[in-house]
Each structure stands twice: as C-alpha cells, then as structure tokens.
Amino acid sequence: MAPLPAGALGAGSLSIVLAGLVVFAATTSIIYVRERGRWQRREGELASELEAARSHQERLGALLASDAQVVVSWNGKNAEPIFEGDSGFLGAPGAALALAYGSWAPPADAKRLELATDALKERGEAFGFTLRSRSGPFIDVEGRPVAGRAVIRFRQVSGERARVMALQSELEHVTADHAALSTLLAGLPQPVWTRNADGRLSWANAAYARAVEAAGGSEAVKGGLELLDRNERENAAKARSEGRPFATRAPAVVAGQRHTLDILEMPTPAGFAGIATDMSELEAVRADLQRQMDAHVRTLDRLKTAVAVFDASQRLVYSNSGFETLWSLDSAFLEGKPSDSEILDRLRAERRLPELGDYRSWKAAVQATYTSPRASEDWWYLPDGRTIHVVSSPNPQGGVTYLFDDVTERFTLESRFNALSRTQRETLDSLREGVAVFGSDGRLKLSNPAFAQAWKIHGDLAGATPHIDEVVRLCRPLYPHDDVWTELQSVITGVRDAREDYGCRMERRDGTVLDCAAAPLPDGATLITFADVTASVNVERALTEKNEALEKVSRLREDFVHHVSYELRSPLTNIIGFAQLLGAETIGALNEKQRDYTGHIVRSSGALLAIINDILDLASIDNGALALEFQEVDVAETIAQATAGLHDRLIDSKLTLKVDIAPQTGPLRADGRRLRQVLFNLISNAIGFSAPGQTIGVTAGRLGGDVRITVADEGRGIPAEVKDKVFDRFESHSLGSKHRGVGLGLSIVRSIVELHGGHVELDSAPGQGTRVTAVFPSEGMPLSDAAE
C-alpha cells in the first residue's frame, strides 16, 4: 500500500482524534451524572446513619451519665484504652485513673483487679465482683468481651443495695471484734462473767469455772455458781439495781483456797459484765515490802550514821535515832515535820553548824541538792571539834536523803595510823637488812634503801612499783639461779596451793651471802627480807673446816690406837706367857729378886693387856661388832666376882668396900661378862680417886622395871666443867689424885650399859665424892632395839 501524503495524513488523524474525544466526553458525562446521583443517595443514607449514631451515642451518654460509673474498653490486646464516664466516685479525679487500682482500691483487691484485667485482655475471661474503695463507697467491677473488645465497667453501688452492703460489712467487723473479744475474755486467767438485765449469770469464762470448781463456763452459768461471798453479792446487787459500777477488794474462795480479789462489775447495754483480779500475790508483796520497810527502819534506827529524808516540799518525813542523837534535837520538834531550812537555822542558832561568814550562800549551796541530778558530799567542821561527813542524795520522787557520819574518830585513827606508818617507814629505812613488800598483784609496794643497796639497784623502786618479774630481772646479774627466783615468784604471786613461809641462802657472784626469807602477810601481800650473813658464813666455814680437821685427827688417832692395840696384843700375850712360865720356875729356880721382877712383869703386862682389850672392845662397839650374850645374871654374885679381882688394890690403898644388895633386886637379864667389866671399871675408877681410909660403896636395887647398880666413893668429887667430859674417850683427869689412866674406863662403861638398853647417871660435886649409877632394864634390851 502506498503511503499517504503528509498533509492528508495529518488532517484525517485530527478528525479521528476529535471524534474520539467527543465520544469520550459524552460517555464520561453520562457516567458522572449517573454516579453523582448514586453518591448523593449514598451520602443521604450515611447522613441518616450518622444522625442515628449520634442519637444512639447521646442516648448512651445520657445512660452513662445517669449513674456513677466508668467504662473502659480496648480494641485489641495492645490498643490504648478508651474511657467513658467520670471516676470521681473512686476518689481518683479523671476517668483514666480508674485503671490505677492501687490509688483507690485496697492492696489485696488492687492485685486481684490487675490479674483479672490481664486475663480479660489476653484470654477474654469475664469477671465480676464487688469491693470497697479506700474512700468508702462499694464498687461493682464487671469485665467481659463485647464485639471483639475488652470492656470493664466500674459502677458505684448506691441505694438500698449500698446500705445493705454497708450494714453487712459493719456486721462482719462487729462479728470479728466480738469473736476476738470473746476469745480474749475466754482465755484470760482472771475470772470474767456477764449477767443479763435481771442480774443472773449469762456467760462465764474458763477461769471463772475453775474458780467456782465447775466443769466449764456453761456449767457455772447453768448452776448459778457465784464467786463472791454473801456480803459482796448483796453489795453488787445493790449497785446493779442503782445502775452504777461496783468495785471492791474482798476475800473469796478460789478453787478451794482463800484469795484476795479486786472485783469490778460494769453495766452494759445488755446487762452487766464483771472481772475479778487476784491480788493475793500483790498483797503478799505489799505486806513483805512493808515488813522490809519496817526492818529497814529498825536497821536505820540502829545505825550510828544519822539519816534524814526530806520530801519534795523540803519537809522532814523520816529521821532515825542517830540523827536525833548527832544533832541533839528534840523528838517533839522532829515529829512536827520541820522543813530543811528550819532545822539548819536551829542548828546554826545553837552553834552546831560550821561557822561561816556567808551563811545564806552556804545554806543555798546545801539545799541545791533538791534540784541536782546527782548526789554530792561535803565535810562539816563543827565548832565543838567534830568532823561530819555529809552525803546528799536526791530522791527519784523528789526530795533529798541526807547521811551524816561523824568521822572525828576515824580522822583521829587515820592521823595515828599515818604517824605509825611514818614511824614504821623510818624504822624500815634504818634497818641493815633489805626489806621488800610485794602486793597480791605481784607489784612492789614497799622497800627500804638497804634492799636497793644490797642488789645495787638505782632509782626509786617503791615509786615505780615494778612487778616481781622486773625486780628479778634487776637482781639476776648478781645471782643467776633461776630455780630460786622462780620459787620466790611463786610465793609472791600466790600460785601455790597454800601460802607458806619460804627461806633460802643466796651465795652471789660477788662473794656476798644473803639469807632470804619470804613470809605471807594477812592482807595478801608478801614480805621478803635479805640479811647479809657473809661474815657469819665465813666464820661458820672456818669452824666447820677446823671441826672436820679435828674429826680427821681423832679418827687418825683412833685408827692408830686400834691398829697398835692389835699389833701389841700378840707379843704382849707372849710376854705374859713367858713371865708366868719363869715365875712358875718350871725351867729353873729363881732367886727372890728375880721372882719379884717376874711378878712385876706379869702385873704390868696384865694391866697393859686390859688397856688393849678395852681399846679393842671400843673398836668393836664402834664397828657394831660387839655382840651381847644375854642370860639370867645374879647381881650379887656378879658384884662379888668383880670385887674379887680388885681385892689386892683395895688392901694396898687401905680402902674399905661396902656392898649393899636390896632383897628385891632379883636376877638381871644381861651379858654376865660385860656386866662384870662394867663393875670392875667403876670400882677401879672409885679406887683411883679415893684416899686411904675412905669407903667405897656398891649398892644394887630395883626401881620400877629397872635395876640400878651404884658405885659411890668419898673422893675429891668432879667439878662441873669436867663432868661433861668424863665419859669421853682418852679424857683423863687426875683431879689432884695419884690416879693415872688413858681415860677409857668410863667410856667403856657407858657404851656397854647403852648396848644393854640402859643409861649411866653421874652425881658429883667437889669435896662430896662421886656416885656413878648404871641403870639396866631388868628384862634386858627391848626387842625392837635388839633387832636393830
């Protein structure tokens, strides 16, 4: 197809476009007219519906406004709430505050509403209940789902229903209070009861039932059991008839026992109610308190301390006899309850108060105790020389208690004590012995200069009051023996079971020797003294060393004598044997001079042998080797045997021997040979100290259970300074006589007699002779001694 020309194409196209536009415009106009009419009809319908909705809304608003209520709705779980109505009845201004449950509802109800609201919004659970707001009105709360919405209505209960609910709530409170009160009264330990208008019991608690010995309160009411006695019941009935309370304290029998009760019965709208309180214990306490007060008064009357009690009005309410005696006041004046000021003025007028220039100020200071919170004390120096210690103590109920103590005697004693203490102090300071006193706490309380000088301690020990540990530390350098210091610390600090004296000797490093003595004092302190005994110890040591040297010399001498005696005995025996052989002329005849010489040899050898035998006997006694052979010995025969060997000496000395044996002497249990040795030595000793022509007496007798053998001579006697030594070995005293000896005879006598369980008595004086008595137990040596 051939293309059209450009001009032709443009004109045709334009015509077509214009025709299309006309058709479109006509069609559009027709459609618009039709739609406009339809929308106008729809608009009219919507206007009618809107008017109807507005009318409905106005009717709903009028309905809501006709009653106090609030409606809250939610269009969805998380949608904002829509409020309708006024929440003023909830006590919370603004409808939105209706959901603030805690602002108008009690806590428990607020929590309950919150949980119900959440359940309604989340799960569509309806609820409804009535509660009381904090402001007082009852509120109906109803929640339910409506057309997909959650709706809650809060409505105030009004009218008769509100009054009924208020009355019901009040009834519940009254019932609860009544139940609580009934429970309380039923459980009280005091008897409680109620009566009706005519005075009969209507209720009683368990305590009442126990008091009247009933099984229970109902039994007591049923039986009409009364608690009070007849007189009290009549008085109570009279008070009930007059409509007044009845109160009294009266005795009553409670559970079979007599008690004192406080009775209170009050009128009530329904009758009467009463309660009984047991006052027996209170009465007992009151009586006991009264007895104690009376006892205190009697005690205060016996006190030397003057006591005066003034009340809040400064009037005297009590004073003891000491107060009257101290101030010499009349009983009539004190019984008139004078004031504090009147008593002071009277004492001042009688010159019994301290003489001061400003009496008014002094008096005001004394009476300031009435307004003071604490006690005070003062010292009054009276014109008569007395010193009064005054203690003023305010009373809790007002007033003041004065205590007046005459301390004049105490001050005098204290002055004397101080003087005595100073004297003792000076005495201690002048002592050469070191003195230290430690208290019960172990601290140094007192010491003298000699103590510090003895231990070379510088400074004031008594002022520093050091502990015993510190004192020991200062003294240890001179005496580093811890065991002694530990013992002293134990004595001072009282660690021991019993406080005892303690003593020891301290030999210090510097050569000083101290005697330490610790003695407990009555007040718990301990006195320690240190005495310097260096000089006496040195003398004692010298004497001890000298004594030891003398004992050593004595032992050496005895050992030498014993040894020599044993060595001499054998050759001496040979000499005696050969001399006797020569004297018997068995080997040839002797001339007269030879026989005389031989006799002298035999006698001298015999004497020497006797001395040696005595020495050997002493040695045996010293060694405990001398054994006695006890047997029944005839005393008279033994004396005759002993004197027979001394017959020649008696004749040569021209002495007379007189023997007197008492008949009751009887036999003696002893070693016969040793008894003869005792008698031989005693008689030989008497011969040696007797002068020619004198008499030697030998007597024997029994005294009690002892046999007494006495050898008496008429010689020169023994001086007092020699009597203590005559029985010692190798002590020989001639006392102006011709007697010579080695001093063993009497020593052997004493040793042999003591081996027999007896003793030797010596009675002698210069110019009166000598009596030596050997006392032997007649039954021999006691078994216990023999066993030893």
Side-chain angles (χ1 to χ4, degrees):
M1 184 176 177
L4 295 175
L9 181 59
S13 296
L14 183 60
S15 298
I16 294 170
V17 171
L18 289 174
L21 289 174
V22 172
V23 173
F24 177 75
T27 304
T28 304
S29 297
I30 294 169
I31 294 172
Y32 171 73
V33 172
R34 292 180 63 182
E35 289 296 326
R36 181 178 179 183
R38 192 169 62 85
W39 279 106
Q40 286 178 347
R41 290 192 301 272
R42 180 61 180 166
E43 184 178 357
E45 293 175 358
L46 291 176
S48 298
E49 292 177 0
L50 178 59
E51 185 64 25
R54 285 177 178 174
S55 297
H56 183 66
Q57 183 179 4
E58 289 176 358
R59 288 194 301 272
L60 291 176
L63 180 62
L64 288 175
S66 65
D67 199 1
Q69 59 183 338
V70 174
V71 177
V72 184
S73 61
W74 290 268
N75 189 17
K77 178 179 180 181
N78 298 321
E80 293 294 327
I82 300 173
F83 298 91
E84 297 289 344
D86 187 5
S87 63
F89 64 93
L90 297 175
L97 295 179
L99 294 179
Y101 300 136
S103 64
W104 58 270
D109 292 334
K111 185 64 177 177
R112 182 182 176 191
L113 282 173
E114 289 176 359
L115 296 175
T117 301
D118 292 341
L120 173 63
K121 292 168 61 178
E122 294 177 359
R123 299 184 295 276
E125 296 180 1
F127 65 89
F129 44 84
T130 303
L131 55 89
R132 194 164 193 171
S133 65
R134 290 184 176 181
S135 59
F138 289 93
I139 308 298
D140 278 339
V141 183
E142 182 181 5
R144 64 178 58 190
V146 178
R149 293 171 177 264
V151 180
I152 301 177
R153 185 176 71 167
F154 303 89
R155 180 184 178 188
Q156 179 179 354
V157 178
S158 59
E160 290 295 330
R161 184 166 174 262
R163 286 192 293 274
V164 170
M165 294 187 71
L167 291 174
Q168 184 178 0
S169 176
E170 184 176 354
L171 177 60
E172 291 176 355
H173 284 295
V174 171
T175 303
D177 292 343
H178 180 269
L181 183 59
S182 298
T183 304
L184 175 63
L185 294 177
L188 283 177
Q190 293 91 354
V192 180
W193 65 92
T194 60
R195 300 179 185 271
N196 53 25
D198 58 1
R200 287 180 299 181
L201 284 174
S202 58
W203 176 85
N205 66 350
Y208 186 96
R210 290 192 298 269
V212 297
E213 300 182 12
S218 59
E219 295 293 333
V221 172
K222 184 177 180 181
L225 302 178
E226 292 290 345
L227 178 63
L228 303 179
D229 293 339
R230 180 177 179 180
N231 292 335
E232 281 71 25
R233 289 202 304 269
E234 292 176 354
N235 294 333
K238 183 178 179 181
R240 287 195 295 269
S241 63
E242 297 174 358
R244 58 182 175 82
F246 173 71
T248 186
R249 176 171 292 181
V253 178
V254 178
Q257 296 183 356
R258 201 72 173 174
H259 289 262
T260 301
L261 303 179
D262 268 358
I263 308 298
L264 176 62
E265 193 171 83
M266 301 288 293
T268 64
F272 302 91
I275 184 171
T277 304
D278 190 351
M279 306 301 293
S280 302
E281 184 175 357
L282 178 61
E283 286 295 322
V285 171
R286 181 173 297 173
D288 185 57
L289 178 61
Q290 186 63 41
R291 287 194 297 271
Q292 290 185 10
M293 291 177 63
D294 295 340
H296 289 331
V297 169
R298 291 194 298 271
T299 302
L300 290 176
D301 285 338
R302 292 187 178 95
L303 289 179
K304 292 183 179 180
T305 301
V307 181
V309 181
F310 294 84
D311 58 13
S313 62
Q314 300 187 12
R315 287 283 177 183
L316 181 67
V317 295
Y318 171 77
S319 64
N320 66 347
S321 58
F323 180 79
E324 179 181 347
T325 304
L326 177 65
W327 300 113
S328 301
L329 295 173
D330 296 335
S331 300
F333 173 71
L334 296 177
E335 290 174 358
K337 299 187 180 303
S339 66
D340 190 0
S341 179
E342 292 173 351
I343 294 176
L344 290 177
D345 291 341
R346 180 164 180 171
L347 293 177
R348 180 172 180 265
E350 297 176 356
R351 296 188 72 248
R352 296 177 187 168
L353 290 181
E355 295 183 342
L356 302 171
D358 190 356
Y359 169 71
R360 187 180 301 274
S361 299
W362 179 84
K363 179 180 176 181
V366 170
Q367 296 179 338
T369 310
Y370 286 94
T371 57
S372 175
R374 60 177 60 88
S376 62
E377 62 177 342
D378 195 6
W379 304 88
W380 293 1
Y381 302 97
L382 305 186
D384 58 2
R386 291 183 298 170
T387 301
I388 307 299
H389 180 217
V390 184
V391 177
S392 307
S393 176
N395 301 327
Q397 295 81 14
V400 172
T401 298
Y402 289 104
L403 302 177
F404 302 93
D405 193 5
D406 189 349
V407 295
T408 307
E409 183 178 357
R410 192 181 78 183
F411 275 11
T412 303
L413 292 177
E414 185 176 351
S415 177
R416 294 178 180 175
F417 174 77
N418 292 336
L420 180 61
S421 297
R422 288 192 296 270
T423 302
Q424 291 177 345
R425 176 76 263 180
E426 295 296 331
T427 303
L428 287 177
D429 290 346
S430 62
L431 289 177
R432 297 180 61 185
E433 293 83 2
V435 178
V437 178
F438 291 86
S440 58
D441 57 354
R443 293 193 170 276
L444 182 66
K445 303 299 182 183
L446 180 67
S447 66
N448 63 347
F451 173 76
Q453 294 171 3
W455 291 101
K456 298 179 174 56
I457 300 176
H458 304 287
D460 184 11
L461 278 177
T465 63
H467 194 267
I468 178 61
D469 297 338
E470 177 65 17
V471 176
V472 170
R473 187 187 64 82
L474 296 174
C475 299
R476 185 176 279 112
L478 290 175
Y479 187 73
H481 294 277
D482 292 336
D483 53 344
V484 175
W485 294 121
T486 302
E487 191 69 19
L488 276 178
Q489 288 173 322
S490 174
V491 171
I492 293 172
T493 56
V495 177
R496 296 184 169 193
D497 295 336
R499 303 185 71 220
E500 300 175 349
D501 294 343
Y502 173 75
C504 65
R505 175 162 290 182
M506 299 179 172
E507 298 186 10
R508 301 192 322 195
R509 288 179 171 179
D510 58 358
T512 303
V513 181
L514 300 178
D515 270 353
C516 173
L521 300 179
D523 61 350
T526 303
L527 171 68
I528 299 181
T529 59
F530 296 92
D532 190 346
V533 294
T534 306
S536 60
V537 168
N538 291 336
V539 172
E540 181 181 353
R541 287 174 179 173
L543 292 176
T544 302
E545 292 174 356
K546 183 177 181 181
N547 184 61
E548 291 176 352
L550 292 176
E551 290 181 355
K552 186 176 181 180
V553 170
S554 178
R555 286 194 301 270
L556 290 174
R557 182 182 63 182
E558 291 179 358
D559 292 342
F560 173 76
V561 171
H562 294 167
H563 181 72
V564 170
S565 297
Y566 278 109
E567 293 297 329
L568 291 177
R569 189 173 185 178
S570 296
L572 186 59
T573 303
N574 295 332
I575 293 173
I576 293 174
F578 286 121
Q580 291 176 347
L581 184 61
L582 290 174
E585 298 182 7
T586 55
I587 59 175
L590 298 176
N591 57 30
E592 188 66 27
K593 188 173 293 256
Q594 288 175 338
R595 283 194 295 273
D596 188 27
Y597 289 162
T598 304
H600 281 296
I601 293 173
V602 171
R603 288 193 297 272
S604 297
S605 299
L608 181 59
L609 181 60
I611 294 173
I612 293 174
N613 287 334
D614 289 342
I615 294 175
L616 293 178
D617 287 342
L618 288 175
S620 299
I621 293 172
D622 292 339
N623 296 329
L626 182 63
L628 300 179
E629 297 178 0
F630 287 94
Q631 57 184 348
E632 294 293 332
V633 177
D634 188 330
V635 176
E637 183 180 351
T638 303
I639 293 175
Q641 293 175 355
T643 57
L646 296 171
H647 183 69
D648 294 340
R649 288 187 60 188
L650 290 170
I651 295 175
D652 293 340
S653 299
K654 300 180 181 180
L655 297 175
T656 302
L657 179 65
K658 183 178 180 180
V659 179
D660 184 9
I661 309 295
Q664 70 273 17
T665 302
L668 172 65
R669 182 174 176 75
D671 187 328
R673 186 169 67 87
R674 296 301 176 183
L675 181 58
R676 287 194 298 272
Q677 186 178 2
V678 168
L679 293 172
F680 181 86
N681 285 328
L682 289 178
I683 298 172
S684 176
N685 189 73
I687 293 173
F689 288 96
S690 297
Q694 293 181 343
T695 301
I696 297 175
V698 180
T699 61
R702 183 182 296 273
L703 180 62
D706 299 332
V707 174
R708 302 173 64 87
I709 301 175
T710 302
V711 177
D713 63 63
E714 299 175 349
R716 295 177 176 272
I718 303 174
E721 64 273 10
V722 180
K723 288 173 64 176
D724 294 336
K725 300 180 181 180
V726 295
F727 290 102
D728 295 341
R729 300 177 185 178
F730 304 107
E731 289 288 339
S732 179
H733 301 275
S734 62
L735 302 177
S737 66
K738 297 180 180 180
H739 177 71
R740 297 292 185 271
V742 294
L744 294 178
L746 291 180
S747 177
I748 290 176
V749 167
R750 183 176 66 178
S751 298
I752 294 176
V753 172
E754 289 177 352
L755 284 175
H756 281 78
H759 63 279
V760 179
E761 298 175 357
L762 176 65
D763 183 15
S764 179
Q768 298 181 5
T770 301
R771 290 172 55 86
V772 181
T773 302
V775 182
F776 295 90
S778 61
E779 299 299 328
M781 186 177 182
L783 294 178
S784 60
D785 296 339
E788 293 176 1

